[in-house]
Amino acid sequence: MEKKLRGGTDNGVVQLEAITWQRMAERLAGHLDDRDTPSEQAVRQRVGIDGAPAADTGVLAGHLADALRERGRAALAVPAAGFLRPASLRFEFGREDVDAYLDGWYDTAALWREVFGPTDPGGSGRVLPDLWDPVTDRATRSPYAELPPDGVLIVHGPLLLGHWFPLRPRRARPALPGRAGPPHRARRPVDPARVRALRDRDRPRGPGGRPRQGGRPPATRPGRACPAEPRTAAGTFAQASAATTVARPAG
């Protein structure tokens, strides 16, 4: 099956093929195992598979761990569901509170302390595979697992890319014909005069239309709203980054 690239030439095509979880795991394992670093200088690789609970990210994580072990690499799959907080904290504001789900359901401090911290360069490698059982609502008391210096840590579950975990998002982009990769735009030089003009334009105005010093907005009158602050692209960038589903290893 072939699909032409929009705006490309006649010979610019994208090959589409059916793939299974096993084949995807084999390709990821080959990518992770393709390195020339000696074992004594190797660092632990960390892979994050981000997806909603309905996506069942544990299937791909299990196949990837098996494929790495067949290549002689030690691998450990850690589910984010094993680091859920107690039900009394998760459902403090009800079972349908969105803010609580995004920020309060998962024990991110424990993930940093028990999973990502020990796998840092020079870390002990003693990783806790899970901490809390959401079914019994009790601590699992699981023993620590030893991950060697050249091992691979696979963390899977939802909301992994929204807590500054050491995972770098990666998206696959098809290369256009005749180019080695996606085109890059050259950065234009910054004009200081234009920066000052934009800054003065957004500054609150005083009598006579001159910009106020200090940036304090004028006093509001009854029935008159304060001028809205200029919006930035920071929130849009964070939302776009959180939409990525597969992350490549960091370090």
Side-chain angles (χ1 to χ4, degrees), residues 63-245:
H63 287 305
L64 178 58
D66 294 338
L68 287 169
R69 296 188 186 105
E70 292 177 358
R71 294 171 175 266
R73 300 287 302 279
L76 176 63
V78 176
F83 289 84
L84 284 168
R85 304 178 74 187
S88 59
L89 299 177
R90 300 201 309 270
F91 305 138
E92 182 179 2
F93 301 100
R95 294 177 178 269
E96 299 181 357
D97 189 278
V98 178
D99 293 332
Y101 173 69
L102 295 176
D103 300 327
W105 275 38
Y106 292 90
D107 194 345
T108 56
L111 279 170
W112 276 106
R113 181 180 67 251
E114 305 292 352
V115 178
F116 292 110
T119 57
D120 281 337
S124 62
R126 297 180 71 250
V127 178
L128 188 65
D130 50 54
L131 178 64
W132 197 261
D133 187 349
V135 178
T136 62
D137 204 29
R138 295 288 187 275
T140 58
R141 301 184 182 276
S142 299
Y144 283 88
E146 298 287 343
L147 193 64
D150 61 342
V152 180
L153 172 69
I154 307 170
V155 183
H156 62 92
L159 307 177
L160 293 181
L161 300 181
H163 298 284
W164 298 101
F165 291 141
L167 302 169
R168 292 176 295 184
R170 180 184 182 184
R171 287 183 178 179
R173 293 184 178 180
L176 296 177
R179 295 184 179 179
H184 299 278
R185 293 183 178 180
R187 297 185 61 183
R188 296 189 303 175
V190 179
D191 185 3
R194 180 175 175 79
V195 173
R196 289 193 298 267
L198 293 175
R199 181 187 58 191
D200 294 339
R201 184 192 65 179
D202 296 332
R203 184 176 297 175
R205 300 283 172 170
R210 304 183 62 180
R212 286 176 175 265
Q213 298 297 328
R216 177 177 295 181
T220 58
R221 299 177 182 176
R224 181 181 179 185
C226 293
E229 296 183 357
R231 300 184 61 182
T232 63
T236 305
F237 175 79
Q239 294 175 4
S241 299
T244 308
T245 57

Side-chain angles (χ1 to χ4, degrees), residues 6-69:
R6 181 179 300 177
T9 59
D10 294 337
N11 59 351
V13 295
V14 176
Q15 299 293 334
L16 303 179
E17 59 177 328
I19 193 170
T20 62
W21 290 118
Q22 291 83 357
R23 291 187 62 186
M24 182 181 294
E26 286 292 339
R27 292 188 179 183
L28 291 175
H31 171 72
L32 294 171
D33 198 40
D34 184 16
R35 59 180 186 175
D36 300 328
T37 305
S39 58
E40 60 272 8
Q41 301 178 4
V43 295
R44 299 178 183 90
Q45 293 176 297
R46 295 178 285 203
V47 181
I49 304 177
D50 187 284
D56 201 2
T57 55
V59 176
L60 178 58
H63 287 305
L64 178 58
D66 294 338
L68 287 169
R69 296 188 186 105

